[in-house]
Amino acid sequence: MKSRSLSVIAGSSYLIIFFLAIFANFFVLESILENPLKTVQEDQLLVRFGILAFILTVVFDVVVAWALFELYKEHPLSRLSTFFRIMHAAIMGVGVAALPLLFSLNTPLEILQQVENFNTIWLTGLFFFGIHLILLAKILGKPKWIAIFLIIAGIMYMADTAAHFLVANYEAYAPLFLALVAVPSIIGEMSLTVWLLTKGGRNNTNFTN
């Protein structure tokens, strides 16, 4: 497959992931957190679509991993970077597989605990995703500002996961960690997505301006 086609596939899949994640997180999970029992029992269709969105996120994450590997497979770090992204997708898949259990729970506390279990599994996967981003930045190289944001985002993903397990009063710092993760990841990954869709594949060894 041509490099340009692989780049478009990676960029398009990344874009789909963004929209699916926004829907699943901000429309579904937030609804559950605000009103656990009512959402799970009375808005089951919304919850089921949210679970499907998470499943598709895992699918397209694997597609991105494959496309990026094929695009940059000559780089010595490409295989390792791909492994870490696949690990992230696999762990995410385990978390999503537990979400249908929500429909068998009868109290808000049980529902919130199940969502917390999912978030913990997801956070674990994001640690490996952070390593992937750091390696990907090294593989891509240019433009340097995108690579820098990917590195920062990768470090912040890893730091957030580590803090979640190591800091006893993590909830007190959660908004700060959210901002530290969100800003570089949105800038870096969205910029990468746009670049892949518009310029990627013309040189499959590194970025070109």
Side-chain angles (χ1 to χ4, degrees), residues 79-126:
R79 191 178 299 275
L80 183 61
S81 174
T82 302
F83 284 157
F84 278 114
R85 184 156 195 148
I86 292 296
M87 286 178 68
H88 159 256
I91 293 171
M92 177 71 172
V94 171
V96 175
L99 285 178
L101 293 175
L102 289 170
F103 300 115
S104 65
L105 304 177
N106 299 311
T107 68
L109 186 60
E110 289 176 321
I111 293 171
L112 290 176
Q113 184 59 56
Q114 189 66 19
V115 173
E116 178 61 26
N117 292 341
F118 166 74
N119 284 331
T120 300
I121 295 171
W122 188 7
L123 273 170
T124 303
L126 288 177

Side-chain angles (χ1 to χ4, degrees), residues 28 42 56 67 95 102 124 130 141 148 161:
V28 180
E42 299 181 17
L56 291 175
L102 289 170
T124 303
I148 289 173
T161 299

Side-chain angles (χ1 to χ4, degrees), residues 163-181:
H164 186 85
F165 293 114
L166 297 176
V167 179
N169 58 337
Y170 172 84
E171 291 302 322
Y173 302 97
L176 174 61
F177 277 105
L178 177 61
L180 290 174
V181 171

Side-chain angles (χ1 to χ4, degrees), residues 10-52:
S12 300
S13 298
Y14 235 130
L15 198 60
I16 292 171
I17 289 172
F18 277 121
F19 286 113
L20 289 172
I22 288 172
F23 169 72
N25 279 289
F26 296 105
F27 288 91
V28 180
L29 282 189
E30 285 299 321
S31 295
I32 295 174
L33 293 175
E34 289 176 7
N35 200 330
L37 203 58
K38 179 180 182 298
T39 301
V40 172
Q41 292 186 348
E42 299 181 17
D43 295 326
Q44 284 198 17
L45 188 60
L46 175 68
V47 178
R48 293 182 189 281
F49 272 116
I51 295 172
L52 178 60

